Amino acid sequence: WDFLILFFCLPVVIFNEITKKRLLGDVSCRIVPFMEVSSLGVSTFSLCALGIDRFHAATSPQASARPIEQCQSIIAKLAVIWVGSMTLSVPEILLWQLAQDTSPVSGVVMEYCTMKPSSNLPESVYSLVLTYQNARMWWYFGCYFCLPILFTVSCQLVTRRISGTEKTECRGTKHTQCESHLNCTIIGLTIIYGLCTTPENVCNIVVAYMSPDMSKQTLDLLNLINQFFLFFKCSVTPVLLLCLCRPLGQAFMDCCCCCCEGCSPDTASSEGSADSKLKTEMSSSIFFDKPRESPPPLLALGTPC
């Protein structure tokens, strides 16, 4: 979803700032906020799901021998996160619309998006959208800021407490080190998310109580700052995830290597690829909490892909 934000929303915002024209018109005014709010929902519920997974790993009676999770279960969880986030963001489509205004300085007609429900909506839908608009600031703050941070912090505290009291004898083992590494990864993702969403929530609160005293230029600047932090989060999060999760980063680099023409299966590269594959296979077991009884044979890992 971060790549979708950078691929679609970022060019629209840049085009609008340069030309003062809205790319795709009214469609972009509705789709861009929908995708941005959906991005917050995907990040929020993903962090909550990761926190629950780490809690189950810490409280499992045989944490080092947990079975590999089925692909259908993982797809079901992802579907719930994505569909739920998109469903909660549907009011954004009905809330925004395109407006035009003449610049007092240059006299050029500018297009901008305004938060104003269309009067053509049915009365019941219009009432619901107005209710969402009035509660939007606190909904943002409670669901997309407080929920993931408090949830992650609570899960980490409980996990550390259980790990410190029930698994003292297992400290220093490879499995415990892998669990600690995964917990640090989740904490890093939460810190990035919190730092990037704090300015938007602060701006929303300030605008809600001081908007009559603020000019349109100031409001546009605050909105641009909020979008900048969102794009920054979408850019940093995948890089941070690939750097902290070494098996995932290694698998990503292997896939990129297989797509390159220079990745020819010579002898040296085959041996290096075999060694890296073996390390990846052994270290990737930490993401499934299941140790391998014996390393895979090297002969099966002789190809670069």
Side-chain angles (χ1 to χ4, degrees), residues 215-243:
S215 62
K216 183 179 180 302
Q217 290 76 12
T218 304
L219 296 176
D220 293 340
L221 178 61
L222 293 177
N223 183 46
L224 184 61
I225 293 175
N226 296 336
Q227 290 185 321
F228 168 78
F229 277 101
L230 176 63
F231 297 144
F232 179 77
K233 179 190 76 70
C234 294
S235 303
V236 172
T237 300
V239 177
L240 180 67
L241 190 61
L242 292 176
C243 293

mmCIF file of all heavy atoms in Angstrom, residues 215-243:
data_model
loop_
_atom_site.group_PDB
_atom_site.id
_atom_site.type_symbol
_atom_site.label_atom_id
_atom_site.label_comp_id
_atom_site.label_asym_id
_atom_site.label_seq_id
_atom_site.Cartn_x
_atom_site.Cartn_y
_atom_site.Cartn_z
ATOM 1 N N SER A 215 -5.597 31.838 7.526
ATOM 2 C CA SER A 215 -5.820 32.104 6.103
ATOM 3 C C SER A 215 -5.784 30.798 5.309
ATOM 4 O O SER A 215 -5.311 29.762 5.792
ATOM 5 C CB SER A 215 -4.758 33.068 5.574
ATOM 6 O OG SER A 215 -3.466 32.487 5.696
ATOM 7 N N LYS A 216 -6.261 30.881 4.073
ATOM 8 C CA LYS A 216 -6.275 29.701 3.219
ATOM 9 C C LYS A 216 -4.860 29.260 2.879
ATOM 10 O O LYS A 216 -4.592 28.052 2.760
ATOM 11 C CB LYS A 216 -7.057 29.996 1.930
ATOM 12 C CG LYS A 216 -7.185 28.791 1.008
ATOM 13 C CD LYS A 216 -7.985 29.151 -0.225
ATOM 14 C CE LYS A 216 -8.113 27.940 -1.142
ATOM 15 N NZ LYS A 216 -6.800 27.398 -1.547
ATOM 16 N N GLN A 217 -3.926 30.201 2.733
ATOM 17 C CA GLN A 217 -2.542 29.836 2.440
ATOM 18 C C GLN A 217 -1.931 29.035 3.585
ATOM 19 O O GLN A 217 -1.195 28.068 3.356
ATOM 20 C CB GLN A 217 -1.701 31.090 2.180
ATOM 21 C CG GLN A 217 -2.020 31.796 0.876
ATOM 22 C CD GLN A 217 -3.315 32.603 0.934
ATOM 23 O OE1 GLN A 217 -3.868 32.822 2.020
ATOM 24 N NE2 GLN A 217 -3.782 33.062 -0.225
ATOM 25 N N THR A 218 -2.249 29.411 4.821
ATOM 26 C CA THR A 218 -1.733 28.677 5.973
ATOM 27 C C THR A 218 -2.314 27.280 6.032
ATOM 28 O O THR A 218 -1.605 26.299 6.312
ATOM 29 C CB THR A 218 -2.050 29.432 7.274
ATOM 30 O OG1 THR A 218 -1.523 30.758 7.193
ATOM 31 C CG2 THR A 218 -1.458 28.712 8.477
ATOM 32 N N LEU A 219 -3.596 27.163 5.755
ATOM 33 C CA LEU A 219 -4.234 25.845 5.757
ATOM 34 C C LEU A 219 -3.659 24.949 4.669
ATOM 35 O O LEU A 219 -3.424 23.754 4.891
ATOM 36 C CB LEU A 219 -5.747 25.995 5.578
ATOM 37 C CG LEU A 219 -6.495 26.721 6.706
ATOM 38 C CD1 LEU A 219 -7.963 26.872 6.346
ATOM 39 C CD2 LEU A 219 -6.347 25.968 8.022
ATOM 40 N N ASP A 220 -3.404 25.520 3.494
ATOM 41 C CA ASP A 220 -2.797 24.737 2.408
ATOM 42 C C ASP A 220 -1.388 24.294 2.773
ATOM 43 O O ASP A 220 -0.978 23.169 2.446
ATOM 44 C CB ASP A 220 -2.777 25.564 1.127
ATOM 45 C CG ASP A 220 -4.170 25.835 0.583
ATOM 46 O OD1 ASP A 220 -5.101 25.088 0.969
ATOM 47 O OD2 ASP A 220 -4.328 26.789 -0.201
ATOM 48 N N LEU A 221 -0.647 25.157 3.440
ATOM 49 C CA LEU A 221 0.714 24.796 3.851
ATOM 50 C C LEU A 221 0.696 23.662 4.872
ATOM 51 O O LEU A 221 1.504 22.722 4.788
ATOM 52 C CB LEU A 221 1.426 26.023 4.423
ATOM 53 C CG LEU A 221 2.856 25.790 4.932
ATOM 54 C CD1 LEU A 221 3.746 25.304 3.800
ATOM 55 C CD2 LEU A 221 3.410 27.063 5.556
ATOM 56 N N LEU A 222 -0.211 23.726 5.831
ATOM 57 C CA LEU A 222 -0.322 22.653 6.817
ATOM 58 C C LEU A 222 -0.716 21.330 6.161
ATOM 59 O O LEU A 222 -0.187 20.261 6.514
ATOM 60 C CB LEU A 222 -1.337 23.034 7.897
ATOM 61 C CG LEU A 222 -0.960 24.191 8.816
ATOM 62 C CD1 LEU A 222 -2.089 24.501 9.776
ATOM 63 C CD2 LEU A 222 0.321 23.880 9.574
ATOM 64 N N ASN A 223 -1.630 21.398 5.205
ATOM 65 C CA ASN A 223 -2.028 20.185 4.500
ATOM 66 C C ASN A 223 -0.866 19.606 3.705
ATOM 67 O O ASN A 223 -0.687 18.378 3.646
ATOM 68 C CB ASN A 223 -3.203 20.504 3.574
ATOM 69 C CG ASN A 223 -3.724 19.267 2.869
ATOM 70 O OD1 ASN A 223 -3.925 18.220 3.482
ATOM 71 N ND2 ASN A 223 -3.942 19.378 1.573
ATOM 72 N N LEU A 224 -0.064 20.476 3.096
ATOM 73 C CA LEU A 224 1.101 20.005 2.336
ATOM 74 C C LEU A 224 2.132 19.349 3.262
ATOM 75 O O LEU A 224 2.744 18.326 2.906
ATOM 76 C CB LEU A 224 1.729 21.169 1.579
ATOM 77 C CG LEU A 224 2.901 20.820 0.647
ATOM 78 C CD1 LEU A 224 2.455 19.863 -0.446
ATOM 79 C CD2 LEU A 224 3.486 22.095 0.047
ATOM 80 N N ILE A 225 2.322 19.914 4.454
ATOM 81 C CA ILE A 225 3.245 19.318 5.421
ATOM 82 C C ILE A 225 2.759 17.937 5.850
ATOM 83 O O ILE A 225 3.555 16.991 5.971
ATOM 84 C CB ILE A 225 3.412 20.255 6.639
ATOM 85 C CG1 ILE A 225 4.127 21.542 6.209
ATOM 86 C CG2 ILE A 225 4.179 19.562 7.756
ATOM 87 C CD1 ILE A 225 4.224 22.578 7.316
ATOM 88 N N ASN A 226 1.467 17.816 6.084
ATOM 89 C CA ASN A 226 0.913 16.514 6.470
ATOM 90 C C ASN A 226 1.146 15.467 5.379
ATOM 91 O O ASN A 226 1.521 14.323 5.672
ATOM 92 C CB ASN A 226 -0.581 16.651 6.765
ATOM 93 C CG ASN A 226 -0.852 17.549 7.956
ATOM 94 O OD1 ASN A 226 0.009 17.714 8.827
ATOM 95 N ND2 ASN A 226 -2.035 18.122 8.010
ATOM 96 N N GLN A 227 0.921 15.848 4.134
ATOM 97 C CA GLN A 227 1.136 14.903 3.046
ATOM 98 C C GLN A 227 2.614 14.561 2.876
ATOM 99 O O GLN A 227 2.958 13.433 2.531
ATOM 100 C CB GLN A 227 0.564 15.471 1.748
ATOM 101 C CG GLN A 227 -0.960 15.514 1.734
ATOM 102 C CD GLN A 227 -1.511 15.968 0.403
ATOM 103 O OE1 GLN A 227 -0.949 16.864 -0.232
ATOM 104 N NE2 GLN A 227 -2.608 15.385 -0.018
ATOM 105 N N PHE A 228 3.491 15.528 3.134
ATOM 106 C CA PHE A 228 4.924 15.246 3.054
ATOM 107 C C PHE A 228 5.322 14.172 4.068
ATOM 108 O O PHE A 228 6.070 13.243 3.735
ATOM 109 C CB PHE A 228 5.723 16.524 3.300
ATOM 110 C CG PHE A 228 7.189 16.280 3.532
ATOM 111 C CD1 PHE A 228 8.040 16.016 2.468
ATOM 112 C CD2 PHE A 228 7.713 16.309 4.814
ATOM 113 C CE1 PHE A 228 9.391 15.781 2.681
ATOM 114 C CE2 PHE A 228 9.062 16.077 5.033
ATOM 115 C CZ PHE A 228 9.901 15.811 3.974
ATOM 116 N N PHE A 229 4.831 14.283 5.293
ATOM 117 C CA PHE A 229 5.161 13.278 6.306
ATOM 118 C C PHE A 229 4.564 11.925 5.951
ATOM 119 O O PHE A 229 5.160 10.880 6.242
ATOM 120 C CB PHE A 229 4.674 13.736 7.679
ATOM 121 C CG PHE A 229 5.615 14.667 8.376
ATOM 122 C CD1 PHE A 229 5.374 16.031 8.390
ATOM 123 C CD2 PHE A 229 6.753 14.192 9.003
ATOM 124 C CE1 PHE A 229 6.246 16.903 9.026
ATOM 125 C CE2 PHE A 229 7.638 15.051 9.645
ATOM 126 C CZ PHE A 229 7.380 16.413 9.650
ATOM 127 N N LEU A 230 3.396 11.911 5.323
ATOM 128 C CA LEU A 230 2.818 10.645 4.893
ATOM 129 C C LEU A 230 3.665 9.991 3.815
ATOM 130 O O LEU A 230 3.938 8.784 3.862
ATOM 131 C CB LEU A 230 1.385 10.870 4.387
ATOM 132 C CG LEU A 230 0.679 9.638 3.817
ATOM 133 C CD1 LEU A 230 0.501 8.574 4.894
ATOM 134 C CD2 LEU A 230 -0.669 10.015 3.219
ATOM 135 N N PHE A 231 4.105 10.773 2.828
ATOM 136 C CA PHE A 231 4.969 10.227 1.785
ATOM 137 C C PHE A 231 6.317 9.781 2.361
ATOM 138 O O PHE A 231 6.890 8.787 1.903
ATOM 139 C CB PHE A 231 5.188 11.273 0.688
ATOM 140 C CG PHE A 231 3.926 11.662 -0.038
ATOM 141 C CD1 PHE A 231 3.728 12.964 -0.472
ATOM 142 C CD2 PHE A 231 2.933 10.722 -0.269
ATOM 143 C CE1 PHE A 231 2.562 13.318 -1.141
ATOM 144 C CE2 PHE A 231 1.763 11.073 -0.933
ATOM 145 C CZ PHE A 231 1.580 12.368 -1.365
ATOM 146 N N PHE A 232 6.808 10.518 3.348
ATOM 147 C CA PHE A 232 8.065 10.124 3.990
ATOM 148 C C PHE A 232 7.906 8.785 4.700
ATOM 149 O O PHE A 232 8.785 7.916 4.622
ATOM 150 C CB PHE A 232 8.498 11.212 4.976
ATOM 151 C CG PHE A 232 9.767 10.890 5.711
ATOM 152 C CD1 PHE A 232 10.997 11.019 5.093
ATOM 153 C CD2 PHE A 232 9.731 10.454 7.030
ATOM 154 C CE1 PHE A 232 12.177 10.726 5.771
ATOM 155 C CE2 PHE A 232 10.897 10.154 7.713
ATOM 156 C CZ PHE A 232 12.122 10.288 7.091
ATOM 157 N N LYS A 233 6.796 8.592 5.384
ATOM 158 C CA LYS A 233 6.535 7.313 6.047
ATOM 159 C C LYS A 233 6.444 6.173 5.041
ATOM 160 O O LYS A 233 7.009 5.087 5.250
ATOM 161 C CB LYS A 233 5.236 7.392 6.854
ATOM 162 C CG LYS A 233 4.866 6.090 7.557
ATOM 163 C CD LYS A 233 3.477 6.148 8.129
ATOM 164 C CE LYS A 233 2.427 6.008 7.051
ATOM 165 N NZ LYS A 233 2.407 4.618 6.485
ATOM 166 N N CYS A 234 5.741 6.409 3.944
ATOM 167 C CA CYS A 234 5.601 5.371 2.927
ATOM 168 C C CYS A 234 6.934 5.043 2.263
ATOM 169 O O CYS A 234 7.110 3.925 1.762
ATOM 170 C CB CYS A 234 4.591 5.814 1.870
ATOM 171 S SG CYS A 234 2.897 5.976 2.485
ATOM 172 N N SER A 235 7.868 5.993 2.243
ATOM 173 C CA SER A 235 9.177 5.740 1.646
ATOM 174 C C SER A 235 10.116 5.023 2.612
ATOM 175 O O SER A 235 10.890 4.151 2.201
ATOM 176 C CB SER A 235 9.814 7.066 1.208
ATOM 177 O OG SER A 235 8.977 7.755 0.303
ATOM 178 N N VAL A 236 10.047 5.389 3.880
ATOM 179 C CA VAL A 236 10.993 4.858 4.860
ATOM 180 C C VAL A 236 10.583 3.476 5.345
ATOM 181 O O VAL A 236 11.448 2.611 5.581
ATOM 182 C CB VAL A 236 11.122 5.845 6.038
ATOM 183 C CG1 VAL A 236 11.943 5.242 7.171
ATOM 184 C CG2 VAL A 236 11.763 7.134 5.566
ATOM 185 N N THR A 237 9.282 3.230 5.489
ATOM 186 C CA THR A 237 8.823 1.971 6.089
ATOM 187 C C THR A 237 9.294 0.738 5.327
ATOM 188 O O THR A 237 9.824 -0.199 5.947
ATOM 189 C CB THR A 237 7.289 1.976 6.200
ATOM 190 O OG1 THR A 237 6.882 3.075 7.030
ATOM 191 C CG2 THR A 237 6.795 0.681 6.812
ATOM 192 N N PRO A 238 9.161 0.645 3.990
ATOM 193 C CA PRO A 238 9.674 -0.554 3.308
ATOM 194 C C PRO A 238 11.181 -0.715 3.440
ATOM 195 O O PRO A 238 11.669 -1.838 3.616
ATOM 196 C CB PRO A 238 9.256 -0.333 1.842
ATOM 197 C CG PRO A 238 8.148 0.648 1.892
ATOM 198 C CD PRO A 238 8.463 1.539 3.041
ATOM 199 N N VAL A 239 11.931 0.394 3.377
ATOM 200 C CA VAL A 239 13.380 0.306 3.512
ATOM 201 C C VAL A 239 13.758 -0.163 4.911
ATOM 202 O O VAL A 239 14.634 -1.026 5.093
ATOM 203 C CB VAL A 239 14.023 1.673 3.202
ATOM 204 C CG1 VAL A 239 15.531 1.616 3.400
ATOM 205 C CG2 VAL A 239 13.698 2.102 1.777
ATOM 206 N N LEU A 240 13.093 0.396 5.932
ATOM 207 C CA LEU A 240 13.369 -0.018 7.307
ATOM 208 C C LEU A 240 13.038 -1.481 7.515
ATOM 209 O O LEU A 240 13.779 -2.212 8.185
ATOM 210 C CB LEU A 240 12.567 0.858 8.273
ATOM 211 C CG LEU A 240 12.736 0.558 9.759
ATOM 212 C CD1 LEU A 240 14.148 0.888 10.213
ATOM 213 C CD2 LEU A 240 11.725 1.355 10.586
ATOM 214 N N LEU A 241 11.941 -1.928 6.939
ATOM 215 C CA LEU A 241 11.539 -3.326 7.097
ATOM 216 C C LEU A 241 12.540 -4.269 6.447
ATOM 217 O O LEU A 241 12.894 -5.310 7.013
ATOM 218 C CB LEU A 241 10.146 -3.529 6.495
ATOM 219 C CG LEU A 241 9.460 -4.869 6.768
ATOM 220 C CD1 LEU A 241 9.261 -5.076 8.247
ATOM 221 C CD2 LEU A 241 8.135 -4.939 6.037
ATOM 222 N N LEU A 242 13.018 -3.917 5.254
ATOM 223 C CA LEU A 242 13.996 -4.765 4.575
ATOM 224 C C LEU A 242 15.345 -4.768 5.283
ATOM 225 O O LEU A 242 16.073 -5.764 5.252
ATOM 226 C CB LEU A 242 14.169 -4.301 3.130
ATOM 227 C CG LEU A 242 12.967 -4.494 2.206
ATOM 228 C CD1 LEU A 242 13.257 -3.905 0.832
ATOM 229 C CD2 LEU A 242 12.598 -5.960 2.079
ATOM 230 N N CYS A 243 15.686 -3.649 5.930
ATOM 231 C CA CYS A 243 16.971 -3.583 6.631
ATOM 232 C C CYS A 243 16.927 -4.314 7.965
ATOM 233 O O CYS A 243 17.897 -5.001 8.333
ATOM 234 C CB CYS A 243 17.366 -2.121 6.851
ATOM 235 S SG CYS A 243 17.756 -1.215 5.331
#
